[in-house]
Amino acid sequence: VRAVASTHLGEPSGSAPKGVEVDGTVLRSPYIFRVIGESRTLAAALDIPGGVIDNLRQRDAQGVVTQRSTLTIATLRRTARPQYASPAPEATAGNGGG
């Protein structure tokens, strides 16, 4: 499942198997996240006291951060049309836009 800013995560409902529901798709462990960003900063942020890795340890679970120098994104996900927001009008010469 490709996550974007509007992705919803939650618990599966009804008789769905244990796991996490991501935009209507139930995923079961092990979970693998491939993220974009500065790898050392992300790894440090996940391992702070009270952070993701610390919380996993407290729940008798395990988290491993593997840093890589490259990441290939092989799939795309179309974004939904915003329900409440709309793009700002195009700036035109002479009206202070630019």
Side-chain angles (χ1 to χ4, degrees):
V1 175
R2 181 149 185 208
V4 294
S6 62
T7 296
H8 173 266
L9 293 127
E11 293 184 35
S13 59
S15 61
K18 285 187 173 185
V20 65
E21 186 174 313
V22 182
D23 285 342
T25 299
V26 176
L27 303 177
R28 294 188 294 158
S29 69
Y31 306 104
I32 298 173
F33 296 88
R34 293 188 176 103
V35 299
I36 298 171
E38 205 285 307
S39 60
R40 284 175 292 215
T41 302
L42 291 167
L46 290 171
D47 205 20
I48 62 171
V52 173
I53 302 296
D54 191 33
N55 274 285
L56 289 172
R57 286 185 196 116
Q58 292 176 22
R59 289 172 172 75
D60 201 23
Q62 178 180 334
V64 177
V65 176
T66 304
Q67 298 179 44
R68 299 190 178 167
S69 60
T70 61
L71 173 67
T72 300
I73 299 174
T75 61
L76 298 177
R77 178 173 173 181
R78 293 192 183 275
T79 55
R81 182 177 204 74
Q83 184 175 354
Y84 301 105
S86 61
E90 291 285 330
T92 58
N95 71 355

